Amino acid sequence: MEERKLTDAEQVVMRCVWNYGKDEIPFLTLIEELREKYDKDYKRTTVRTFLFDLEEKGYVTVERRGKFSYVIPVVQKEDYRKNQAEAMLDIWFDGSAKSFISALSGRLSEEEGEKLKGLLDELDAQ
């Protein structure tokens, strides 16, 4: 399945869903998490709209049980991150992991840089 792009707001909602640490997040808890962790004081209707769009894009399902709704991720965080990283490599670095790492080199500690250099050298040897 080709992932459809998320808006910035949808990415924040998905981060809350993924980082909740359980298989599902109650709708009201999601609203609290958005407020507490991301300083997003969205109205319920706004969050419902985000969830509707995320469902349409295939990222979540929303289940109603009695009076309460629960948000269940369909796309997993690691899969999304991997796809985003691959897209960034393709768009900005012509698919070159070395160019990407080079661009990040100022943010890496010396130890991290040495580890990455070793990994890249191993990849070149294959």
Side-chain angles (χ1 to χ4, degrees):
M1 169 183 103
E2 182 180 324
E3 283 185 359
R4 292 174 58 193
K5 292 189 187 246
L6 298 180
T7 65
D8 291 343
E10 290 169 345
Q11 287 181 40
V12 172
V13 171
M14 285 306 301
R15 287 185 69 176
C16 285
V17 171
W18 286 320
N19 292 338
Y20 186 61
K22 297 182 181 167
D23 293 337
E24 62 188 21
I25 182 171
F27 176 73
L28 295 176
T29 303
L30 174 60
I31 292 171
E32 290 171 23
E33 295 280 308
L34 286 164
R35 187 179 309 112
E36 290 173 15
K37 294 192 174 151
Y38 296 96
D39 200 28
K40 302 292 184 188
D41 197 14
Y42 295 129
K43 295 186 183 318
R44 285 176 158 197
T45 54
T46 302
V47 176
R48 278 194 204 111
T49 300
F50 292 146
L51 291 174
F52 177 77
D53 292 343
L54 287 165
E55 252 186 323
E56 287 287 311
K57 292 178 179 181
Y59 282 87
V60 300
T61 57
V62 179
E63 289 184 3
R64 181 107 177 145
R65 294 185 217 133
K67 295 181 186 178
F68 302 101
S69 295
Y70 298 85
V71 182
I72 303 156
V74 174
V75 174
Q76 298 305 308
K77 181 179 183 178
E78 290 307 313
D79 294 333
Y80 180 76
R81 287 172 61 176
K82 181 178 182 264
N83 288 339
Q84 291 300 300
E86 288 173 356
M88 182 176 284
L89 275 178
D90 290 343
I91 292 168
W92 295 105
F93 301 96
D94 297 322
S96 169
K98 277 188 174 184
S99 295
F100 177 68
I101 300 295
S102 177
L104 291 177
S105 64
R107 295 188 67 169
L108 299 174
S109 70
E110 190 174 330
E111 182 180 334
E112 289 171 325
E114 289 301 315
K115 282 182 184 177
L116 279 171
K117 184 179 181 314
L119 288 170
L120 292 171
D121 288 344
E122 284 179 31
L123 288 174
D124 280 343
Q126 293 178 355

